């Protein structure tokens, strides 16, 4: 994955992870959040990467693992450390980059799915 910071392309290799969404922080110049998944999102885990620019490219500030692929990420409009991601398991995760562990909270509301004329409770 690469990002353009200050006019120069910056690169960080993430073996085994494929980026699905990236968003620059509206608060901290150059800070980038990237939602990733293993195996192109078909199977495996996901990782939220928080990246900062440095002289050599991009530096990993913090990473958070999740048990399913992460497919989107956005920064909070109210707090410079908070992000939310969505994953292949249908849940939303609330993360705080000021803390090394996470997520702060998980929202999973889809407990029923409609399948061919009947509800299947999961």
């Amino acid at each position: 994955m690469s990002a353009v910071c200050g006019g120069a392309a910056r690169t960080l290799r993430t073996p085994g992870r494929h980026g699905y969404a990236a968003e620059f922080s509206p608060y901290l110049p150059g800070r980038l959040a990237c939602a990733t998944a293993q195996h192109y999102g078909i199977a495996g885990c996901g990782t939220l990467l928080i990246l900062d620019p440095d002289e050599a490219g991009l530096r990993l500030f913090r990473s958070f693992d999740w048990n399913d692929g992460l497919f989107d990420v956005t920064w909070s409009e109210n707090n410079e450390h908070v992000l939310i991601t969505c994953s292949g398991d249908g849940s939303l995760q609330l993360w705080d980059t000021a803390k090394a562990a996470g997520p702060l909270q998980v929202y999973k509301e889809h407990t029923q799915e409609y399948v061919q004329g009947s509800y299947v409770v999961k």
Side-chain angles (χ1 to χ4, degrees):
M1 101 189 47
S2 64
V4 177
C5 300
R10 311 281 176 119
T11 302
L12 175 74
R13 299 276 178 212
T14 56
R17 294 289 192 267
H18 307 281
Y20 276 89
E23 188 169 322
F24 282 99
S25 169
Y27 303 102
L28 303 170
R31 178 157 290 176
L32 180 67
C34 184
T36 70
Q38 289 180 310
H39 309 293
Y40 302 98
I42 297 170
C45 300
T47 302
L48 173 60
L49 303 171
I50 310 300
L51 309 169
D52 285 329
D54 67 8
E55 304 79 35
L58 291 173
R59 160 182 78 79
L60 183 64
F61 171 72
R62 189 146 352 266
S63 69
F64 301 100
D65 291 325
W66 188 245
N67 58 359
D68 208 326
L70 297 177
F71 296 105
D72 204 0
V73 61
T74 192
W75 291 91
S76 167
E77 293 180 5
N78 301 322
N79 187 311
E80 66 189 54
H81 302 290
V82 175
L83 301 103
I84 194 161
T85 56
C86 67
S87 62
D89 63 5
S91 66
L92 301 173
Q93 303 80 31
L94 188 68
W95 308 92
D96 185 346
T97 62
K99 300 177 190 269
L104 294 175
Q105 187 146 3
V106 176
Y107 301 95
K108 186 159 181 139
E109 297 299 325
H110 298 284
T111 57
Q112 295 183 348
E113 290 186 17
Y114 189 75
V115 179
Q116 296 180 356
S118 63
Y119 281 100
V120 177
V121 177
K122 290 189 174 187

